Amino acid sequence: MPKKRAAKPVLTDTGEDLTPEALAVELQTEFGESAASTGKIVEARDYISTQCPLIDYSIGRNGIPTGALTNIYGEEGSGKSTVLYHLLAETILRGGYAILYDAEGAYDYERGERIGIDFSKLIFLTPDHIEGAFDEIEAILNRVSLRNPNALVLIGIDSVAAAVTKAQIEGSYEDSHPAAQARAVSTAMPKLLPSIRKTNTALVVVGQLRAKMSIGPSWGGPQTTQIAEGSLKYYSFLRMYFRKMGEPYGDKEAPTGIMSLVDIRKNKTAPPYRTTQFPIDFLHGIDIVQSKLTLAVRLGLVDLRGGWYKYGEDSFRGVDFGDILTKNPDIDEALKLAPLLWREKL
């Protein structure tokens, strides 16, 4: 004899209209207070400035978002680590926790100090492998959420391409570990991001492009990729691509800087696909004053007439813009509001 199906539970009608608010309350009663709610449940995120007004303007916010993952990637020597240094300096300046996993072992202490990083307040993660770094990051998130949930936190990984895995360290030279870093990142992101979203933490993963491995004939398409690009594309809230523009400027035998281009490839906080160029000084990082001048001209705050600039009654050369900013702090105030100008078009 075939088994009889179990009888469906009898549903009783209370006669009351089930409004969205009432449904949310019933779900909270059955599954817990965090089960459901109505209205806006995502709190406004904080943003950590890159200290470069041109980059912030391209992002469309006053920096990178907290509670999310930001992916900085691009060519070698294009300014990726420099931007991360400025983010660390800004976090420390605002009294937050700045944490760096220097997988490359290439941190430049003198340059970081010139950019504005206080080493007594910078926390270095020094695990033997990337899995250990993710364990330490998880421990940081747990401690911060319990003791100081509103604290500003920036965690930088520089870079995922240089990180090694536990299997690579414990294995022999004959072992093959294809896509080991990618698997580690793909496993860690779903575990870390829920905790990051609940805190005022920004996770920044830096990646460098490398030749793309292919099996069989290639029929066009991108020839380069970054380690764990698939996972980083999916989980990132903001993705910024960097590349050098032209040759380094200054003396040919002793160049002093480069022009770098940033392309916002993914952006969930503002309109994406914006690009801009900004100057990087090899000794002092992003040339913030010249970046402000370029943006001020773009916004019409400062007029460019031939080789001279004009603000109000003052005419000046580009190298003197720092003095103009000192005398006119209202320019800085206007530039701080510039990243949000896209909202006026809505």
Side-chain angles (χ1 to χ4, degrees), residues 3-11:
K3 293 183 179 179
K4 293 183 179 181
R5 293 183 179 179
K8 292 183 178 181
V10 178
L11 301 179

Side-chain angles (χ1 to χ4, degrees), residues 89-147:
E90 178 69 14
T91 303
I92 293 173
L93 184 65
R94 292 178 54 183
Y97 299 103
I99 300 152
L100 175 63
Y101 172 41
D102 182 21
E104 297 178 354
Y107 187 83
D108 189 336
Y109 290 89
E110 294 181 356
R111 189 165 186 250
E113 189 173 21
R114 288 191 293 267
I115 287 175
I117 297 176
D118 184 347
F119 295 114
S120 66
K121 298 179 181 178
L122 179 63
I123 302 172
F124 284 94
L125 303 184
T126 56
D128 294 329
H129 42 73
I130 192 170
E131 291 91 344
F134 288 136
D135 286 338
E136 293 185 16
I137 290 172
E138 185 177 11
I140 290 169
L141 294 172
N142 291 336
R143 283 168 171 78
V144 169
S145 62
L146 289 174
R147 301 182 186 180

Side-chain angles (χ1 to χ4, degrees), residues 295-306:
L295 183 58
V297 172
R298 185 181 299 180
L299 297 175
L301 300 174
V302 173
D303 293 329
L304 174 60
R305 300 178 181 178

Side-chain angles (χ1 to χ4, degrees), residues 6-301:
K8 292 183 178 181
V10 178
L11 301 179
T12 58
D13 186 7
T14 62
E16 299 178 359
D17 291 337
L18 189 62
T19 63
E21 294 82 359
L23 178 58
V25 171
E26 291 188 12
L27 289 173
Q28 291 173 7
T29 303
E30 185 173 353
F31 298 104
E33 292 184 359
S34 62
S37 67
T38 56
K40 295 182 179 180
I41 62 173
V42 178
E43 296 180 0
R45 288 182 171 82
D46 197 356
Y47 296 88
I48 303 175
S49 175
T50 63
Q51 298 187 336
C52 177
L54 284 169
I55 299 178
D56 290 351
Y57 181 73
S58 295
I59 295 172
R61 296 283 185 172
N62 292 319
I64 67 169
T66 62
L69 167 65
T70 296
N71 181 209
I72 296 175
Y73 72 104
E75 302 172 352
E76 63 174 346
S78 58
K80 304 182 299 297
S81 295
T82 298
V83 172
L84 178 58
Y85 283 16
H86 280 275
L87 288 168
L88 293 168
E90 178 69 14
T91 303
I92 293 173
L93 184 65
R94 292 178 54 183
Y97 299 103
I99 300 152
L100 175 63
Y101 172 41
D102 182 21
E104 297 178 354
Y107 187 83
D108 189 336
Y109 290 89
E110 294 181 356
R111 189 165 186 250
E113 189 173 21
R114 288 191 293 267
I115 287 175
I117 297 176
D118 184 347
F119 295 114
S120 66
K121 298 179 181 178
L122 179 63
I123 302 172
F124 284 94
L125 303 184
T126 56
D128 294 329
H129 42 73
I130 192 170
E131 291 91 344
F134 288 136
D135 286 338
E136 293 185 16
I137 290 172
E138 185 177 11
I140 290 169
L141 294 172
N142 291 336
R143 283 168 171 78
V144 169
S145 62
L146 289 174
R147 301 182 186 180
N148 197 355
N150 297 320
L152 182 66
V153 182
L154 176 76
I155 303 174
I157 299 177
D158 188 16
S159 67
V160 70
V164 295
T165 65
K166 186 176 181 180
Q168 289 172 323
I169 291 177
E170 296 178 349
S172 67
Y173 293 108
E174 297 177 353
D175 294 338
S176 177
H177 302 280
Q181 292 92 339
R183 287 195 297 271
V185 172
S186 181
T187 302
M189 289 301 107
K191 190 175 181 181
L192 293 177
L193 287 178
S195 298
I196 290 174
R197 295 188 188 103
K198 295 176 183 178
T199 60
N200 202 23
T201 301
L203 176 62
V204 180
V205 177
V206 178
Q208 183 169 306
L209 295 180
R210 48 164 284 178
K212 190 172 184 179
M213 293 186 299
S214 60
I215 300 176
S218 176
W219 304 104
Q223 300 300 310
T224 56
T225 186
Q226 64 169 321
I227 297 293
E229 179 160 316
S231 297
L232 295 175
K233 274 185 177 181
Y234 180 80
Y235 290 109
S236 292
F237 219 80
L238 175 68
R239 297 184 71 236
M240 299 189 289
Y241 166 70
F242 289 82
R243 65 183 177 92
K244 300 186 294 290
M245 295 299 294
E247 297 295 324
Y249 55 78
D251 190 340
K252 289 185 178 181
E253 296 182 357
T256 59
I258 61 168
M259 289 296 295
S260 182
L261 179 141
V262 59
D263 183 0
I264 309 301
R265 296 285 177 88
K266 181 180 180 180
N267 193 350
K268 291 188 176 181
T269 64
Y273 303 114
R274 291 180 170 188
T275 62
T276 194
Q277 298 181 37
F278 63 97
I280 293 179
D281 184 272
F282 290 150
L283 294 178
H284 301 93
I286 297 172
D287 192 330
I288 298 175
V289 174
Q290 289 303 308
S291 296
K292 289 182 177 180
L293 177 58
T294 301
L295 183 58
V297 172
R298 185 181 299 180
L299 297 175
L301 300 174

